Amino acid sequence: MAQSVPVLAITAGEPAGIGPDLCMQLAQHAHGCVLVVLADKILLQQRAALLGLDVQLHDYDPQQTSPLPPGHLRVLHISLVQPAQAGKLNPANSRYVLDLLTRAAQGCQAGEFGGMVTAPIHKGIINDAGIPFTGHTEFLAEQTHTAQVVMMLAGGGLRVALATTHLALREVPDAITPALLESVLCIIQHDLTRRFGITEPRILVAGLNPHAGEGGYLGREEIDIMIPVLDKLRAQGINVSAPLPADTLFTPQRLAQCDCVLAMYHDQGLPVLKHASFGQGVNVTLGLPIIRTSVDHGTALELAGTGRADAGSLLEAIRMAADMVQHEKLLFGHPHERAA
């Protein structure tokens, strides 16, 4: 389906959280792309009433994807299992949440949507429903049959990718193998070039241990695992640094020399990123055959239905996804063909 502007699927996320609120707020803004919100239409109407928003909802028709004016929102209706109450989790609706993601991913793979943008979900309540679930990233990897994906957050002038994601700290050193490190860095290189338009990405790599191992005195992972892989990739033309101490990596002088930082684990890199951009940051899944961005925050149950939720991160995620779609079209033609 050829489109002059990107068509993006927006999943409304956990129905008890602020996702539906944020989706309704989208109708108050002009967008440089076509938005299709995947949600229960009745839920959106109820949340609009709580928020005092006058929004006209239009049923999604794949043959009619012209932009709508402010005050209007296009909705692909997917039914809740049970009625949702703002701020009150209900495990019965966990399947609905996953149905939103599945439908959006299928639409992206089929070329119906140029990319997908996800509002926040609640991992705990999905697991409480008896469905094993670790997060959007892992779920979409499974849906698209992708062996390796990379979580990257962007905001505040930073891009921070993670070698490991939702993993207990004691398990991280064993997880960082030469194969993993090489795969992650190749994905970062590929997607920064293809989807962000960066011709020669510069990647700074954080060491695992304090002081990047202090020459082996504080751990040998840098010497035994990381340096050989980084040397190999550098010889192949990928611009990666040696392992750098994480406590001095996030300084203006260092960051001015890079396009992305690779942190070894979740809480090594993300606190810095979120300090710089919380509420305006974007979560990006690299390595998928589809484009997926997301907000950088959670469901904020206490704010649902109050009108106090800020749509800033969702708006940034939409802008970034639209830019990624356009970069792929400009550089490689059809946005759903991945380079070999």
Side-chain angles (χ1 to χ4, degrees), residues 267-288:
D267 283 11
Q268 183 184 55
L270 295 196
V272 180
L273 186 288
K274 292 196 175 186
H275 172 74
S277 65
F278 191 71
Q280 301 292 323
V282 179
N283 186 337
V284 187
T285 306
L286 306 180
L288 292 171

Side-chain angles (χ1 to χ4, degrees), residues 70-86:
H72 297 255
L73 200 64
R74 186 176 279 111
V75 180
L76 195 168
H77 173 76
I78 296 176
S79 297
L80 283 163
V81 177
Q82 294 182 3
Q85 180 179 339

Side-chain angles (χ1 to χ4, degrees), residues 115-180:
M116 61 185 289
V117 181
T118 57
I121 57 177
H122 195 288
K123 291 188 282 288
I125 199 65
I126 297 174
N127 282 279
D128 287 346
I131 305 171
F133 185 84
T134 54
H136 275 116
T137 304
E138 296 82 359
F139 182 81
L140 292 173
E142 181 179 352
Q143 287 289 307
T144 58
H145 308 290
T146 305
Q148 177 69 53
V149 293
V150 177
M151 178 188 291
M152 184 181 80
L153 270 80
L158 303 174
R159 296 186 190 93
V160 179
L162 302 177
T164 62
T165 53
H166 303 117
L167 197 62
L169 190 57
R170 67 173 65 249
E171 299 174 20
V172 169
D174 290 340
I176 299 175
T177 63
L180 174 78

Side-chain angles (χ1 to χ4, degrees), residues 88-111:
K88 187 175 181 180
L89 293 169
N90 182 352
N93 283 322
S94 295
R95 179 51 58 187
Y96 157 83
V97 173
L98 299 184
D99 286 346
L100 301 180
L101 299 176
T102 300
R103 176 63 178 86
Q106 290 172 344
C108 289
Q109 289 180 287

Side-chain angles (χ1 to χ4, degrees), residues 174-296:
D174 290 340
I176 299 175
T177 63
L180 174 78
L181 197 58
E182 181 173 352
S183 175
V184 166
L185 283 164
C186 287
I187 288 171
I188 294 170
Q189 168 80 8
H190 178 278
D191 279 18
L192 287 182
T193 301
R194 182 181 182 91
R195 292 178 170 168
F196 288 83
I198 302 172
T199 305
E200 297 180 357
R202 302 164 299 170
I203 306 168
L204 296 184
V205 180
L208 172 67
N209 297 297
H211 301 177
E214 195 75 64
Y217 290 102
L218 296 177
R220 292 194 55 86
E221 284 83 2
E222 287 79 8
I223 294 172
D224 296 338
I225 296 172
M226 299 182 69
I227 289 175
V229 172
L230 299 174
D231 287 346
K232 174 184 176 182
L233 294 177
R234 209 173 294 114
Q236 296 174 0
I238 297 179
N239 188 346
V240 292
S241 72
L244 298 171
D247 62 345
T248 56
L249 173 54
F250 293 97
T251 59
Q253 294 84 355
R254 288 281 195 191
L255 294 174
Q257 304 169 21
C258 83
D259 299 297
C260 182
V261 172
L262 175 62
M264 292 299 103
Y265 54 93
H266 189 280
D267 283 11
Q268 183 184 55
L270 295 196
V272 180
L273 186 288
K274 292 196 175 186
H275 172 74
S277 65
F278 191 71
Q280 301 292 323
V282 179
N283 186 337
V284 187
T285 306
L286 306 180
L288 292 171
I290 64 175
I291 288 171
R292 179 260 172 168
T293 65
S294 185
V295 295
D296 69 345

